[in-house]
Amino acid sequence: MDQTLSLLTVEEAARRLQIGRTVCYRLIRSGELESITVGHLRRVPADAVPEFVSRRRHTRTAA
C-alpha cells in the first residue's frame, strides 16, 4: 500500500477501511466519505479516509 498517494480508487479506500466496495460507494453517495471526479473516474482523497474514521469515532462516543 503506497502511503504517498493523494487520491485513492474506491477499491483502495474500501481496502483501507476494511469494508466492501459496495459499502464504500454507499458512503460516497450519502456524503459520509468525500470523493471527487477526475475525468470520468471517481477518486477518494487519501486524507478523507482518516477524517471519515475520526468523524465516526467522535459521533459514536457522543451518542
Side-chain angles (χ1 to χ4, degrees):
M1 186 179 329
D2 186 353
Q3 299 293 332
T4 63
L5 294 175
S6 57
L7 293 175
L8 307 171
T9 65
V10 174
E11 290 79 7
E12 290 168 334
R15 263 194 306 264
R16 288 192 183 188
L17 290 168
Q18 297 182 345
I19 59 175
R21 186 177 64 113
T22 304
V23 173
C24 195
Y25 274 109
R26 191 177 325 134
L27 292 171
I28 290 169
R29 271 194 305 276
S30 72
E32 291 183 69
L33 181 60
E34 180 186 357
S35 72
I36 62 171
T37 54
V38 179
H40 295 289
L41 304 171
R42 175 71 50 191
R43 294 293 183 253
V44 176
D47 61 349
V49 174
E51 288 172 9
F52 167 77
V53 173
S54 179
R55 277 193 314 275
R56 292 295 288 246
R57 288 179 74 184
H58 179 70
T59 302
R60 192 159 187 177
T61 57

